[in-house]
Amino acid sequence: MRSNFSADRRRFIKLLGTGAACAAGAGVVTAAEADPGRIARENARTGTLDWMLTRTHVDPKTKYRSPSIEGYCSHASALAGCDSVRFYVSTNPPSRFTLDIYRMGYYGGKGGRHVMNLGPFDGITQPDPPIGDKRVRDCQWQPCAEIRIPTEWVSGVYLGKLTAEAFETGTSGGWQSYVIFIVRDCRRADYIFQCSDNTWQAYNRWPSQFALYDDGKSVWYWGPDVAVSRNRPYGKYCQILDAPLSTGSGEWFLWEFPFAYWLESLGRDVTYVSNLDTHACPGSLLRAKGFLSLGHDEYYSPQMYKGLKDAIKAGLSVGFFSGNTCCGRIRYSQDSSGNKNGVFERVGVWGPKGGMKLITGMERLAHDPPYANELIGSHSTGPVTGGADWICTAPEHWLYNGTGMKHGDTIPGLIGWEWHGDTAKIPGIEVVATGPTQSAPGKLNGGQYAATVYPGGAGSGGGGGGRTGSEGPKNNIVFNAATCWWADGLSAPPGYVRPSVYTSPRGPDERVQRMTLNVLERMLT
């Protein structure tokens, strides 16, 4: 979203002087000082379960939205100490409401920490936006509040819990929903956690059927000429499971929060970004040693692909703890508020023609190289959806150190609901787990997943602006878990709802935890 840098050139120059800003358009970053204990100190603070919604309402006419109270933020992410975030909220009928902001993490098992209370505000019923070109719904609501992100706020995912006053006589409390944004920093860190918020928005059907997946004829369309705007609330998640208590939070709780919760429980040195940050400033990735792609990371722009590929060449390690990753090629455009990346549409497929089951409209998209498996190791292929057990095929590989797994050992249900196959011909690539996929227990669907590891920078020269400052071969690695459900094997935070379709993952597993630690440690060497 639009940065406040453009509104205050002098402050931008000052930040550059202190090494704390991404140079817009330059693709480079001068990183702030490292602070490896920051996440551990943050999680030692008092947590709360109050971030959880207790009273939600979804309009049955739309199946997705919560018109009683709903909202969105001006930024997908905001730089602490620099950017401001505006909050846009609608209540129908009009009602006073409050906004409580929480940072999500571990916090002794509570999962969140309260950081700010705003309101009460006099809520109004904001207008539904007209249906624009390519079916875009681009809200132009009036903000209820604006805050400048405090410098001391630690990078992470922040939830705003909206609570309306009671609407009906005799009730003790009002309806609730979320808004969500990411706070980022520019410090050096061990890991960058990329939220998959392009995908959150692509599947967002607010206000009724206006996702990237609906062309007005098919509710599961996968072609061109449909666009979505970030200027709108997130409706209730529309796939896999029914979770109205996550309304307004995109897909954060479903596939990403269990990873962040577990990672922060260990005090690991992590900082957070949006997909949009990877697009706008890929050079900033080189302030970290490892990059983490989580959950359902389906939509990449060419800038994201190239930026991540270049960072790998420069020595960055990557963990694709995700499925269906980099499947749809997107193009950003300007929204009605002037945000140059506020709208995006699908313009291509990061895979070859005939490589996967055709979904309605996909034949109209370009299938030009490069392909996603050249970045990830393997990619969406075949029937695309399905599930499987994780089957160990390389027990001698360092990935399995300390797991005790032998050839053919399985972790039930870990692969799903979308997966990667079709291994790329990359020098040194190894398939560490593979097996057939199924559409139901015991019913094979013709797919074959492949989890892979390859040496990211072996034999490549320096990468321009890299973190190491040295030329020659790099020892970085690229791990591909080939599943959306990897984080289910790490933790089950408060409020977590386990998915179950095609297969059913079984929850936290010491072997999954150990493999993840092996990847994280390898990233640091």
Side-chain angles (χ1 to χ4, degrees), residues 350-402:
W350 292 104
K353 286 186 176 180
M356 66 179 73
K357 175 187 68 176
L358 283 180
I359 306 170
T360 303
M362 187 178 283
E363 72 281 355
R364 297 173 55 200
L365 292 169
H367 289 68
D368 300 326
Y371 298 138
N373 62 355
E374 299 169 42
L375 172 69
I376 300 166
S378 63
H379 58 188
S380 292
T381 187
V384 181
T385 59
D389 297 341
W390 174 278
I391 304 174
C392 173
T393 58
E396 72 287 347
H397 195 277
W398 57 259
L399 176 71
Y400 291 104
N401 289 348

